[in-house]
Amino acid sequence: MTVGFLSNWGRGRGQDFDSGGTAGVVELTRRRPSISLTKQGAVSGNLRVNLSWRMRTSDFNAGRSGFGRDSWRNPLKMFKPEVVQAQGTAMVNVDLDLACLYELQSGAKGVVQPLGDFFGDLNSPPYVKLSGDDRFGSGSGETIFVNMDHKDDIKRLLVFVYIYDGTPAFDRTQAVVTLYPSSGPRVEISLDERAPEARSCAVVLIENVKGEMVVRREVKYVYGFQSELDRLYGWGLQWGRGYKQKV
C-alpha cells in the first residue's frame, strides 16, 4: 500500500465524541508494561488517546529562575523547573504530532496522522480518527479516538509521536500519552526518557490477542520518521515525503 500524504481522505473535523469514564490512573512503566482493556470491561464505546505536551524553559534560560528578587520572596521557586506553553519565545521550535499505524483483521493497513490530512474515520475502516492537529502544545493537545465497538475488526494499532518540524527535543518536552477507556482507570505513558536526537517515538501498542484487547507500553525512540517505525514493527507500507499546510 502506498501512503499518499497529499490526499484529503477522511478529512472531517470538529465532531464531538464521548470522553469515556475514568476512575483512577494506571501508569505503564518498564516494570508494568501492559494492561488488558478486556479484563476491565473497556471494549465498547470510544477509546480516547490523548497527547499533551509542554516545553521546559529551564534548559535554555537558566538565569531566569535563579537567585533573583522573586527568589527571596518565594525561595522554593528556584528549585521548580519553569514550564510554559510551547509557543513561548524562549524555546526551540518543536511540533509534536500524535499518529497511529493500523492493521485490520481484513489485512488493510495504513496510518492516521496530521501529515497529509489522514484523519481517519470512526464509523468505518479504519475505525480510528484523529481530532485535529495541535501545533503549539495547547492544553487539550491532540486526540485519537478508537471505536472499540469494532474491536473484532482491529488486529493492532501502534500509537506514536513524531516531531514534524524544528529541533529534535524529546528530552526537553514534558509529553504524556493518556488513554481514556470507556470504563476503568485511565492509562498514562510518559515520554520522559532521554533521547535528544530522536525524531519519532513508538509509544503504545494496542493489540487484539485472541480476542483480548491488550495495551502494551513501547516507548521506543528512533532517529527517523514513520518509515523507520514501519520497519521496526514490520508494517510493510511505502512512504513518501509529505508536508503540512502553513498556518
Side-chain angles (χ1 to χ4, degrees):
M1 174 181 177
T2 300
V3 179
F5 288 119
L6 299 182
S7 169
N8 288 326
W9 172 79
R11 191 172 177 172
R13 305 194 201 183
Q15 299 183 8
D16 294 326
F17 302 95
D18 56 310
S19 59
T22 58
V25 182
V26 172
E27 184 178 1
L28 296 188
T29 63
R30 287 185 177 183
R31 291 188 176 183
R32 185 181 182 180
S34 64
I35 188 172
S36 171
L37 296 179
T38 301
K39 290 180 179 178
Q40 67 182 44
V43 288
S44 63
N46 293 328
L47 171 66
R48 180 161 58 102
V49 183
N50 176 258
L51 166 68
S52 59
W53 58 276
R54 293 193 293 181
M55 292 294 296
R56 184 190 303 270
T57 61
S58 57
D59 291 338
F60 313 106
N61 279 351
R64 288 184 59 186
S65 55
F67 294 92
R69 180 181 300 176
D70 187 55
S71 300
W72 294 108
R73 296 198 197 104
N74 188 1
L76 294 179
K77 185 177 180 181
M78 70 183 72
F79 299 108
K80 190 175 182 179
E82 185 177 346
V83 177
V84 301
Q85 294 294 339
Q87 65 266 36
T89 58
M91 296 150 305
V92 296
N93 178 34
V94 64
D95 177 14
L96 293 185
D97 281 340
L98 181 67
C100 178
L101 282 166
Y102 64 83
E103 181 178 2
L104 304 183
Q105 298 288 5
S106 65
K109 299 178 182 179
V111 65
V112 173
Q113 63 178 15
L115 188 59
D117 291 345
F118 287 99
F119 289 98
D121 196 294
L122 197 62
N123 297 310
S124 60
Y127 310 110
V128 179
K129 184 169 181 63
L130 178 66
S131 63
D133 181 13
D134 169 29
R135 303 195 185 184
F136 305 108
S138 67
S140 60
E142 295 185 3
T143 300
I144 285 175
F145 295 89
V146 181
N147 188 342
M148 297 299 288
D149 292 333
H150 287 271
K151 65 183 185 305
D152 294 334
D153 296 306
I154 297 171
K155 182 175 182 180
R156 58 175 179 160
L157 306 172
L158 180 67
V159 177
F160 65 97
V161 175
Y162 64 94
I163 298 175
Y164 166 71
D165 196 12
T167 304
F170 272 115
D171 59 330
R172 295 175 182 176
T173 57
Q174 294 180 313
V176 178
V177 171
T178 306
L179 281 64
Y180 296 87
S182 59
S183 64
R186 68 179 185 268
V187 181
E188 289 187 354
I189 305 99
S190 298
L191 278 63
D192 53 4
E193 298 182 13
R194 291 284 176 177
E197 300 299 324
R199 285 198 171 271
S200 305
C201 179
V203 181
V204 64
L205 186 67
I206 304 170
E207 198 167 15
N208 189 330
V209 182
K210 297 180 180 179
E212 180 179 3
M213 299 303 292
V214 178
V215 175
R216 189 177 76 231
R217 175 188 183 272
E218 296 293 315
V219 190
K220 294 181 179 178
Y221 294 92
V222 299
Y223 298 100
F225 292 97
Q226 293 91 329
S227 59
E228 191 167 341
L229 288 172
D230 184 309
R231 287 192 295 269
L232 184 63
Y233 287 88
W235 233 266
L237 301 179
Q238 294 189 14
W239 299 88
R241 185 178 295 276
Y243 301 92
K244 288 186 183 182
Q245 296 180 1
K246 294 183 179 181
V247 294

